[in-house]
Amino acid sequence: MVLWVGLGGCGVPPAPTPNAVQEIEPNDSFPGAQIVTIPSGQTLTINGFFVWGQDPDIYDLGTFEAGQTLSASLTGDSAVNPNNVQFGFFDQDQEVAILDDNAITAAEQQISLTIRKPGKYYLALSDPNQPPSSSYTYSVLITVGSAAIPTPPKQIVFLNYNGISTITIGGFTFNNVLPFSAIGSSLNPPLIASLTTSAIQADYTPYNIQILSSYDTLEPTVPHSTVYVSGGSGTQQFYGLASSVDWYNQDPTDNAIVFAGLLTNSGLSQTQFVTALANITAHEMGHLSGLAHTVDHTELMDQVTPLNSLDQPQTFHLAPLAEFPVGTENTPQLLQFALGLFQ
Ligand SMILES: [Zn+2]
């Protein structure tokens, strides 16, 4: 057999012909999404433009099977200043499958999804910080592939009520993190910690996750995430912080912190205190399991819940996305994909 390698003899196949489409406005809603076709085995470049603040650009990419992969990378951005472009893939129910809500650096301008739920998928982009009268162009490269659907990693979460001398989470370094007992002996810290741990376990009952308390056990020696539940108030005046939104729980060893001391002077009953602390802690664990913020004071991933709602029970349920102008987040379904169901 003779293999023809061409006169140059290098044998490198030619680069695939770039396929490109131009955005056509209006494509601001899922029903009005612009239909684009990704040629089989090839990539597609979409050249689009944002024409007003929060102008969502939505593209109907077609129908996909579980185990197919979709990736999108922002390859061009004509804005003068670094932009906070948000972009993600959404399924046929307009539910987010993955969202990058803060694509400022080059490394952040890439999302990759292994499809769990078959059906139609959309790519949606928006820039919430764009001045209303400005416009700029972008390019986004779409690639389709295939991969095994990852088995959810075994997730253990250790609720560390002991405090820690120093810890860095999400780019913030916290020193002298007080133990939970700093809420004061009149509030009975061991009892509140026990009730809080139980309430968090109830939030996560359907899922394959083991939640341990430092009041009951030593820190596990096997891989685990840690949530530091401090009785102090911190220095940043937020109730809690997680290292990242870890989509599909790719890192089962990430950490979060909660400052229960911010609740102590709020006149809450013991029951309200426990409910608020459990809501905050379950929320931060949600980020570590791959959940973004919602807008619904009864939903655990609500972005900014006022205290008079935070002391009421919240649950995981379908709710509008906070950090994107369209679409919803089906938090129970994402938790099922990220953690697996309890057997
Ligand atoms: Zn949050």
Side-chain angles (χ1 to χ4, degrees):
M1 180 186 288
V2 175
L3 289 176
W4 172 251
V5 294
L7 292 175
C10 68
V12 176
T17 309
N19 303 287
V21 295
Q22 183 68 42
E23 181 200 358
I24 303 168
E25 293 274 359
N27 57 348
D28 303 346
S29 67
F30 288 101
Q34 178 179 346
I35 296 173
V36 298
T37 303
I38 308 167
S40 176
Q42 298 186 42
T43 61
L44 178 71
T45 298
I46 299 171
N47 297 306
F49 51 101
F50 293 123
V51 291
W52 45 271
Q54 292 221 355
D55 165 32
D57 290 346
I58 306 180
Y59 303 92
D60 176 343
L61 304 177
T63 300
F64 299 88
E65 301 294 325
Q68 283 192 285
T69 59
L70 276 172
S71 66
S73 64
L74 277 164
T75 55
D77 180 338
S78 69
V80 175
N81 299 315
N83 273 263
N84 183 10
V85 175
Q86 305 170 329
F87 67 126
F89 291 120
F90 292 75
D91 69 22
Q92 62 193 13
D93 298 314
Q94 308 178 13
E95 296 167 5
V96 66
I98 189 168
L99 179 71
D100 185 333
D101 68 9
N102 194 25
I104 292 175
T105 69
E108 290 168 336
Q109 297 187 339
Q110 166 101 29
I111 52 172
S112 196
L113 170 71
T114 302
I115 290 170
R116 274 78 167 173
K117 176 179 169 182
K120 183 195 288 282
Y121 275 81
Y122 300 92
L123 171 71
L125 308 94
S126 173
D127 180 352
N129 298 322
Q130 180 192 6
S133 60
S134 70
S135 67
Y136 67 89
T137 62
Y138 60 83
S139 294
V140 58
L141 178 72
I142 311 290
T143 306
V144 179
S146 62
I149 297 172
T151 302
K154 171 66 180 168
Q155 181 65 67
I156 299 170
V157 175
F158 183 60
L159 303 177
N160 187 336
Y161 294 96
N162 296 328
I164 190 167
S165 57
T166 183
I167 183 76
T168 297
I169 293 172
F172 290 88
T173 296
F174 303 95
N175 295 307
N176 190 25
V177 175
L178 297 176
F180 187 64
S181 57
I183 61 170
S185 56
S186 64
L187 288 167
N188 196 345
L191 175 62
I192 289 183
S194 174
L195 295 170
T196 300
T197 302
S198 296
I200 297 164
Q201 286 167 333
D203 290 326
Y204 282 87
T205 297
Y207 311 108
N208 189 20
I209 182 171
Q210 187 177 13
I211 300 166
L212 305 173
S213 164
S214 63
Y215 277 99
D216 303 326
T217 182
L218 295 174
E219 183 152 6
T221 55
V222 295
H224 62 278
S225 291
T226 299
V227 182
Y228 297 91
V229 186
S230 172
S233 299
T235 54
Q236 304 292 336
Q237 298 299 305
F238 41 59
Y239 288 124
L241 180 72
S243 55
S244 70
V245 176
D246 179 22
W247 288 95
Y248 298 94
N249 196 27
Q250 296 177 68
D251 180 2
T253 64
D254 41 12
N255 298 326
I257 194 164
V258 167
F259 293 104
L262 292 172
L263 299 171
T264 49
N265 294 320
S266 306
L268 302 178
S269 69
Q270 178 177 281
T271 299
Q272 290 170 320
F273 191 106
V274 167
T275 300
L277 182 56
N279 286 341
I280 295 164
T281 309
H283 173 111
E284 301 308 334
M285 288 169 54
H287 286 317
L288 300 183
S289 302
L291 301 181
H293 284 141
T294 60
V295 183
D296 177 345
H297 290 342
T298 69
E299 210 279 329
L300 275 161
M301 298 313 296
D302 189 51
Q303 187 173 30
V304 183
T305 312
L307 192 63
N308 64 0
S309 294
L310 196 59
D311 67 9
Q312 301 298 310
Q314 295 175 315
T315 60
F316 288 118
H317 58 256
L318 185 73
L321 271 176
E323 281 136 353
F324 205 76
V326 295
T328 58
E329 183 172 52
N330 187 338
T331 54
Q333 181 167 269
L334 285 173
L335 286 174
Q336 179 181 338
F337 291 149
L339 299 172
L341 290 176
F342 182 74
Q343 300 296 317

